[in-house]
Every structure is written in C-alpha cells, then in structure tokens.
Amino acid sequence: RSSRTMAGACGSKPVQLKVRPFVLHSPRLRRDEGPGGRGHSSQIDFAVQEADMTGPLVCVVDDDDAVRLSMGLLIETLGLPVRCFPTALDVLADGDALERVHCLVLDVRMPGLSGVGLQERLGKLGRGVPIIFVSAHGDVPMVARAMREGAFDFLQKPFNEQVLLDRVLEAVQLAARRRQENAWLANVQGRLDSLTARERDVMEGMVGGRLNKQIAEGLGISMKTVEQHRSRVMEKLQVDSLAELVRIVVRSCRQED
C-alpha cells in the first residue's frame, strides 16, 4: 500500500490522496467494435498509475472538514484516487479535476455555490459526470430537482458506508463507459469525415443494401467508378467487410441520437 501524509488530508485545501492501483479488467475493443459490440463489458480497464495519477478520479465536496476527511478516506479503500474540496467553486477552479473526474460526491448545502448549483454549472459546461448527493437536509423538492438534472443518486445522512462505496464504484464504471463510447464515436466520426462527398454517397448506397449497378445508375457514374469508391470507403473506414461497415455506421448513428 502506498504511503500518504495524513496531516491535512482532505482538510481545508484540495488534497490528492495517493492510492494503490485500481484495475477492472475487460477485453480491449476491436477496431470495428464500438460500445455494446462483441467486446463490450460492464467492466472497464482503468489501470491507474500512481506515478502520474491519470486514472479515474473521485471528487468529494463538503464544507465540513471532518465529513470531507472521513468520506475521502472511505472512498480511497476502493483503490481510487480521491481529491477533496471544501467548496463547489474550488472544484470549478481545478481544471485537472474537471478533466479526470469520474464521480462527484457532493454535499447539497454549502456556503456560496450549492451542490445543486455545481451540478447545473457542470451541465452548462457539458461535463456530464455522475453525481452522488450526500446530505442531512434532503427533502422531496431538492431530491426531485437533483434527479431531474441527472444526478446519479441521492443518499441521506447517516448513510450506509457500503451503499456509498457500491454507488461510487458503479458511477465510476458508468463514467468510464461513457468516455469509452465518446472516444469510439470520435474515432469513427473522424474516419467518416475523411470521406469525400462522392465516397459518402456510395457508402450510403452500400449501407442501404444497393448493388453496384443500382448505385451507379442512381449517381450517374460508371460501375467501375463505384467499385473504386467502394474500395476507398472500406480502406478509410478500416473495415474488411460490408457487414462491418454497416455495423459501425448504424451504431455511430444510434449513439449520436
């Protein structure tokens, strides 16, 4: 187990806790397999490196020093890196945390910007990180508002520690899947963007199940030209068969929707 300095951990300033590597193994995605394909698994390979701490981050935000410390150390038992903040504004000021965070554990009522307010700010920034609200002041309107804004869960103090750990782990896995899906979609979109207008026309015919002759007649070009475009489409999209082509195009369209 890695050593860490206890003094000031998750105290009045944001603190990075050093932890042992947290790894959930899963098959690597093949180049033609997007999320949900044959290689998809609910478990994601995080392979956190202690040296640079570039793995999934959990952020705890609570203005109570004791609560912040205890929750941070509790979540650290999962083997995940944890960063603690006394205010919501401190989170927004930490660009590295915003980039890496896979789960936010937020108190609802805090001085300045509230937990729900932070949730709304992150939504406007396009950062859909799973959020678990933990509060002793949970009421029906507040819970409804948080859940409507997309909160992952809402736990009322005093909470069961194992329930919190389970939900944090589920939230991190969800965030990892979303990031994996977004990375896959960006990769596929990059390939699609490399097609010329004519190649895209031919690809649409291919995906639509049309024969070369039908594509040629519809576009007013020769079959030889269609065959040349088909070859370039397959090469640029890095697929070996028409079935693979249809699969990634259909899947990318579904994810965009």
Side-chain angles (χ1 to χ4, degrees):
R1 182 181 181 83
S2 300
S3 62
R4 66 172 181 272
T5 301
M6 291 298 295
C10 287
S12 60
K13 296 181 180 180
V15 174
Q16 177 73 59
L17 299 177
K18 294 183 179 180
V19 300
R20 58 185 178 276
F22 169 71
V23 181
L24 294 179
H25 294 288
S26 70
R28 295 289 185 181
L29 284 178
R30 286 159 46 92
R31 69 178 185 182
D32 60 316
E33 290 181 4
R38 295 189 300 275
H40 180 65
S41 169
S42 61
Q43 293 182 310
I44 308 298
D45 186 352
F46 294 129
V48 180
Q49 299 297 319
E50 284 192 274
D52 55 13
M53 301 301 289
T54 58
L57 178 70
V58 177
C59 291
V60 176
V61 190
D62 197 303
D63 61 313
D64 186 306
D65 290 351
V67 172
R68 189 168 65 252
L69 172 62
S70 63
M71 282 202 297
L73 295 179
L74 173 64
I75 295 170
E76 187 202 12
T77 63
L78 291 172
L80 287 163
V82 179
R83 192 172 298 177
C84 300
F85 300 87
T87 73
L89 292 177
D90 288 325
V91 179
L92 293 173
D94 191 329
D96 176 67
L98 291 178
E99 186 65 30
R100 291 175 48 207
V101 63
H102 280 55
C103 174
L104 270 171
V105 180
L106 296 181
D107 188 17
V108 173
R109 301 179 187 274
M110 294 182 290
L113 187 64
S114 69
V116 177
L118 175 59
Q119 179 188 31
E120 293 175 346
R121 289 275 191 95
L122 292 173
K124 292 178 181 178
L125 291 173
R127 297 185 178 275
V129 58
I131 296 175
I132 299 173
F133 283 103
V134 179
S135 177
H137 308 283
D139 54 45
V140 174
M142 189 177 300
V143 172
R145 179 182 175 188
M147 300 307 288
R148 188 169 56 249
E149 293 293 330
F152 185 76
D153 207 345
F154 198 114
L155 305 180
Q156 191 162 356
K157 300 175 184 176
F159 55 84
N160 181 290
E161 292 185 351
Q162 188 58 53
V163 171
L164 175 62
L165 291 177
D166 290 344
R167 296 303 280 159
V168 167
L169 186 55
E170 291 168 6
V172 169
Q173 292 174 325
L174 173 62
R177 287 196 297 272
R178 287 177 177 173
R179 288 176 178 237
Q180 186 183 58
E181 290 164 1
N182 292 337
W184 178 85
L185 183 59
N187 180 277
V188 171
Q189 190 58 55
R191 300 184 215 170
L192 291 171
D193 290 344
S194 71
L195 299 177
T196 65
R198 182 60 79 191
E199 288 168 351
R200 184 175 287 271
D201 290 338
V202 171
M203 181 197 72
E204 290 174 355
M206 296 166 64
V207 173
R210 300 171 65 189
L211 301 175
N212 284 358
K213 182 178 180 180
Q214 295 172 314
I215 296 174
E217 291 175 351
L219 297 177
I221 57 179
S222 69
M223 286 185 57
K224 183 176 181 180
T225 301
V226 171
E227 291 171 356
Q228 292 173 341
H229 287 313
R230 283 182 66 114
S231 177
R232 284 195 287 269
V233 167
M234 301 290 279
E235 180 181 353
K236 289 184 177 181
L237 295 187
Q238 302 174 28
V239 294
D240 300 319
S241 69
L242 179 58
E244 290 182 33
L245 172 65
V246 172
R247 184 164 59 247
I248 69 168
V249 171
V250 171
R251 191 174 297 153
S252 66
C253 289
R254 286 177 180 171
Q255 286 186 247
E256 286 181 334
D257 294 339

